[in-house]
Amino acid sequence: MNTIPTPDAQDIKSALEQLSRDDLLALIQRMVQQHPDLAGLIVSKQPTATRKPRAPSNAELCRLQVEKIFRTTDRKTWGSEARAAEPLPDIVAIAEEYVEQQNFAEAAVLYEIIIRAIRDSYDSFRWHADEGQLDDVVEDCVEGLSNCLRGMHGNTAVRRQILQMLFDVYDFDTNLENDMLVMSDKVPAILVRSTTPEERRMIAKWVREAFNLDIDWYAGDVGEFCEDFYVLLLGL
């Protein structure tokens, strides 16, 4: 029986050279769909002597890569959280590059992808309270989002998206069965110091709705509630 010979490197190179740019892009997209781990080769850092501005990322490729990390990491043995967290800083580093280039909207998208993936899979990876590698990744993303807020002015829609994500992280963290915040302890200060008066009023509304609070700020004993950030924020 005749068999089709396996093409060598030169054959593959010659075939690729015959393809148009659009054909190459379509081929790469199909390859990534079949093998999501290839996305890391596309979005990873490119070491060069002089760093050029990074082109807009394909957020969907990053999303596929993050989803694959959580889908394929073994959750049945000790250390699963560390294994899931290990490759995530590579994507955080890409977002940090965008922050350095003041492409805050692109950075915010990547931070959000990482945070949402961790939040959605969090319970299935936590084996012991002494673990916390995923918490550390979220903290890095929170810091990155804070840098976006400080550097971004005028883009109301993106700023609101960032504030909502920070608030969601804080809300999620406060509902965990821990004695202290493990991933969002810097969020309260960010929401107060890096926001406009209008944004603080918006956040106060979110807090009131999320915690179902109805405080009389003119009552004599209101001070006893002020140890909690989310109550104090209502007074801003």
Side-chain angles (χ1 to χ4, degrees), residues 182-202:
V182 294
M183 63 178 69
S184 67
D185 60 321
K186 295 181 180 179
V187 169
I190 295 170
L191 294 181
V192 173
R193 297 172 183 172
S194 302
T195 51
T196 66
E198 181 179 357
E199 289 170 341
R200 287 194 289 276
R201 287 192 293 271
M202 176 181 66

Side-chain angles (χ1 to χ4, degrees), residues 8-234:
D8 58 23
Q10 185 59 43
D11 293 332
I12 295 174
K13 179 181 179 181
S14 298
L16 292 175
E17 289 175 345
Q18 302 302 314
L19 298 178
S20 67
R21 180 177 180 275
D22 290 341
D23 289 338
L24 283 172
L25 289 175
L27 176 61
I28 293 172
Q29 289 174 347
R30 288 198 299 270
M31 292 172 64
V32 170
Q33 289 176 353
Q34 296 179 12
H35 305 282
D37 54 309
L38 294 178
L41 298 177
I42 299 174
V43 301
S44 61
K45 287 186 176 181
Q46 300 178 3
T48 55
T50 57
R51 180 179 296 176
K52 298 180 180 179
R54 182 179 286 276
S57 72
N58 187 331
E60 185 60 27
L61 292 180
C62 290
R63 195 185 312 278
L64 288 171
Q65 185 181 8
V66 172
E67 287 178 354
K68 183 176 186 295
I69 290 171
F70 286 99
R71 186 178 66 253
T72 60
T73 300
D74 177 19
R75 312 182 189 204
K76 299 180 180 180
T77 56
W78 175 268
S80 60
E81 182 173 353
R83 290 192 294 273
E86 183 178 5
L88 294 176
D90 292 338
I91 304 176
V92 173
I94 296 172
E96 290 172 348
E97 284 190 40
Y98 286 124
V99 173
E100 292 175 3
Q101 298 167 13
Q102 299 186 12
N103 190 344
F104 302 114
E106 201 73 38
V109 170
L110 298 188
Y111 288 131
E112 181 174 355
I113 288 173
I114 298 169
I115 289 174
R116 289 192 181 280
I118 292 175
R119 186 187 63 184
D120 293 345
S121 302
Y122 191 82
D123 290 340
S124 63
F125 279 95
R126 179 54 53 93
W127 274 69
H128 192 276
D130 289 340
E131 293 186 297
Q133 292 86 354
L134 291 177
D135 299 335
D136 295 339
V137 175
V138 174
E139 284 188 320
D140 291 340
C141 292
V142 165
E143 182 176 355
L145 290 172
S146 175
N147 293 334
C148 290
L149 278 179
R150 289 198 299 268
M152 179 186 301
H153 304 285
N155 194 330
T156 305
V158 176
R159 285 183 63 86
R160 180 188 174 101
Q161 177 185 354
I162 293 172
L163 292 173
Q164 181 69 69
M165 178 52 55
L166 288 170
F167 181 79
D168 289 348
V169 170
Y170 181 79
D171 188 18
F172 178 79
D173 201 0
T174 57
N175 283 285
L176 295 175
E177 295 181 357
N178 295 312
D179 295 332
M180 63 182 68
L181 298 175
V182 294
M183 63 178 69
S184 67
D185 60 321
K186 295 181 180 179
V187 169
I190 295 170
L191 294 181
V192 173
R193 297 172 183 172
S194 302
T195 51
T196 66
E198 181 179 357
E199 289 170 341
R200 287 194 289 276
R201 287 192 293 271
M202 176 181 66
I203 296 167
K205 181 179 178 182
W206 295 346
V207 172
R208 188 178 295 109
E209 293 173 349
F211 295 98
N212 192 26
L213 297 173
D214 185 12
I215 305 297
D216 180 2
W217 286 95
Y218 296 94
D221 60 349
V222 70
E224 69 184 61
F225 297 102
C226 289
E227 293 181 358
D228 296 320
F229 156 74
Y230 56 81
V231 177
L232 179 60
L233 185 60
L234 291 176

